[in-house]
Amino acid sequence: MSQLVFLGPPGAGKGTQAKFLAEEKGLLHLSTGDMFRNAIAKGTPTGVQAKSYMDQGQLVPDSVVDALVVERLKEDDARGGYLLDGYPRNLSQAEALDGVLAEHGTKLDGVLFLDVPDDVLIARIVKRGEESGGARADDTEEVARERLVVYREHTEPLVKHYEAAGVLVRLDGTKSIDDVKAAVFAAVEGMSA
Ligand code: AMP
């Protein structure tokens, strides 16, 4: 059983790499961004609440995100371990996650941090937006810049937080998808060694 977190700025490749690793290890892949996009598509109250924040590149309030994640992690398919992609995104969410882990008698095995500089991120996000056919309304240059500001202010402090906890693995996210994938798999092997 493994509990892992993918950490990194928007456009770092968290979703892509999380998918590979989840398949390889048979872990549940939980992307809070995907959960919100599904909720929006279905028109649920959570989706309605989340949309205005997402469209502006802001974080959805902690109470909404934490409740969603806590409920989801109670389901049976999370028993075998999971991989969080896009959560936690600030220190308060990290504390909420610690609470869930403690309640389930588990701990975080590792945090995979994909490090990528801003200029590369903006270019990647704009390209993803063009290729998504409108599925990602927040993948415009303007919103991407705001998401990066929000990332630096709220999410980046988690790098130091998890480094201090001794669970952070820093990976160069500017490399090719295959190279990052190999580095991710090697890092996870190292964790269980
Ligand atoms: P993502 O797909 O991870 O880039 O997330 C897209 C958007 O969903 C973010 O810009 C936020 O508006 C919202 N979101 C996703 N995860 C979280 C989270 N953990 N906390 C707050 N907002 C989130």
Side-chain angles (χ1 to χ4, degrees):
M1 184 166 75
S2 308
Q3 288 72 231
L4 298 164
V5 166
F6 268 95
L7 182 65
K14 300 187 296 293
T16 302
Q17 296 299 336
K19 209 174 291 168
F20 291 145
L21 187 61
E23 255 168 44
E24 170 76 13
K25 294 278 173 194
L27 296 171
L28 176 69
H29 172 197
L30 275 190
S31 153
T32 41
D34 283 350
M35 288 164 88
F36 286 133
R37 282 183 285 276
N38 283 336
I40 290 170
K42 286 188 189 147
T44 68
T46 299
V48 172
Q49 245 178 322
K51 188 173 181 347
S52 58
Y53 295 96
M54 292 174 76
D55 285 351
Q56 293 173 52
Q58 300 299 319
L59 294 184
V60 176
D62 292 342
S63 55
V64 178
V65 190
D66 291 340
L68 197 72
V69 172
V70 167
E71 283 312 305
R72 186 63 187 84
L73 292 183
K74 278 184 192 159
E75 289 181 33
D76 283 348
D77 59 355
R79 292 282 160 269
Y82 48 83
L83 217 161
L84 297 172
D85 157 15
Y87 184 92
R89 252 178 161 98
N90 59 29
L91 283 165
S92 160
Q93 293 180 11
E95 280 165 17
L97 176 60
D98 282 345
V100 181
L101 289 161
E103 211 170 292
H104 294 173
T106 54
K107 60 172 182 51
L108 264 192
D109 296 290
V111 175
L112 298 149
F113 170 50
L114 299 181
D115 202 2
V116 181
D118 283 9
D119 51 341
V120 177
L121 294 169
I122 297 284
R124 280 190 192 175
I125 293 170
V126 170
K127 185 160 175 265
R128 182 171 69 186
E130 285 164 0
E131 289 169 356
S132 80
R136 294 215 44 159
D138 57 346
D139 277 351
T140 61
E141 177 158 357
E142 194 191 347
V143 182
R145 289 200 185 280
E146 185 56 31
R147 287 162 69 200
L148 279 179
V149 169
V150 169
Y151 170 78
R152 297 286 170 225
E153 186 179 345
H154 299 280
T155 312
E156 202 173 39
L158 291 179
V159 173
K160 281 214 173 90
H161 173 79
Y162 284 126
E163 219 159 30
V167 288
L168 191 99
V169 183
R170 189 182 291 261
L171 302 166
D172 180 356
T174 63
K175 298 256 170 69
S176 71
I177 290 179
D178 281 347
D179 284 354
V180 177
K181 179 178 169 185
V184 165
F185 283 18
V188 172
E189 288 310 315
M191 282 168 199
S192 45

